[in-house]
Amino acid sequence: MARIFTATVFLGLLLMIPITGHASEDALTVVATHETYEQAGGWLDFLQSKDVQVHHVTPLEYANGIDARYIVIMGGLDEPEGIKDIVVKILSEKEMMQVSQKDAAETFIKTVVPENVPPSRQWESAVNFIMFIGSDAEGVMKARSESKETWWEEIQIWFDIYEGAHMPAY
């Protein structure tokens, strides 16, 4: 069963939340390789059926800078050209050890507030993450499916969705 971790993380310049690019603040930015993104078709269809605008960027595009407030990062930890260089800056050492295990399937929800933001502006500057991380593609799907009530509740809050939307059966 996937474990779910929620935390608020204060990071300084090391994380360097990218602030260039073209993602809309009204969109859910999904950071994943093309292969992982394609494998999430049923999940993406569900989100779009609930009027959640989805914007896909690869890990390399993310590293080059994007402007997004709501981000889902998903992939296998050791996937070529994947998410490892991104999540190592967000997850704790203990969390990284968990996702490095064989058959890992973990979901994390994090809010990152840049360190240099005045306290009165921290929440409007926060970047919200949901991460589905597995040891492989199967682990990513397992993490997403076993935590669907949690991530769906978070997405409903992010995008002001107040319906009793049913969970997908994918």
Side-chain angles (χ1 to χ4, degrees):
M1 180 172 171
R3 288 182 223 115
I4 302 165
F5 300 90
T6 305
T8 301
V9 180
F10 291 90
L11 298 176
L13 294 176
L14 284 178
L15 181 58
M16 295 177 18
I17 299 294
I19 57 172
T20 60
H22 56 279
S24 167
E25 192 171 296
D26 295 7
L28 178 64
T29 299
V30 177
V31 181
T33 63
H34 291 291
E35 183 178 341
T36 298
Y37 188 79
E38 289 173 11
Q39 292 171 348
W43 177 71
L44 295 165
D45 291 343
F46 169 74
L47 293 175
Q48 291 171 343
S49 77
K50 301 303 175 190
D51 294 325
V52 175
Q53 182 183 354
V54 177
H55 176 74
H56 174 233
V57 298
T58 66
L60 180 59
E61 290 168 327
Y62 179 86
N64 288 332
I66 62 164
D67 183 13
R69 186 165 182 191
Y70 305 108
I71 301 172
V72 170
I73 299 173
M74 63 181 173
L77 191 60
D78 293 319
E79 193 175 10
E81 298 181 21
I83 62 169
K84 188 173 189 173
D85 289 343
I86 299 168
V87 299
V88 74
K89 296 176 184 176
I90 301 170
L91 297 178
S92 70
E93 191 174 312
K94 181 181 177 182
E95 292 166 336
M96 282 302 296
M97 287 176 48
Q98 289 173 300
V99 298
S100 298
Q101 300 297 313
K102 184 178 191 259
D103 298 326
E106 304 289 344
T107 297
F108 299 91
I109 297 175
K110 302 261 185 179
T111 299
V112 176
V113 180
E115 191 175 85
N116 59 345
V117 175
S120 63
R121 304 203 64 176
Q122 286 182 342
W123 290 113
E124 65 189 48
S125 301
V127 179
N128 301 283
F129 292 93
I130 298 173
M131 293 175 270
F132 305 120
I133 305 170
S135 55
D136 55 20
E138 186 177 308
V140 174
M141 289 190 308
K142 181 178 178 184
R144 192 173 53 240
S145 67
E146 289 185 359
S147 64
K148 59 187 170 184
E149 289 82 13
T150 303
W151 60 255
W152 176 237
E153 181 178 300
E154 196 72 18
I155 290 173
Q156 285 179 305
I157 293 167
W158 290 355
F159 295 100
D160 296 324
I161 301 170
Y162 294 109
E163 63 182 65
H166 296 289
M167 295 306 305
Y170 62 91

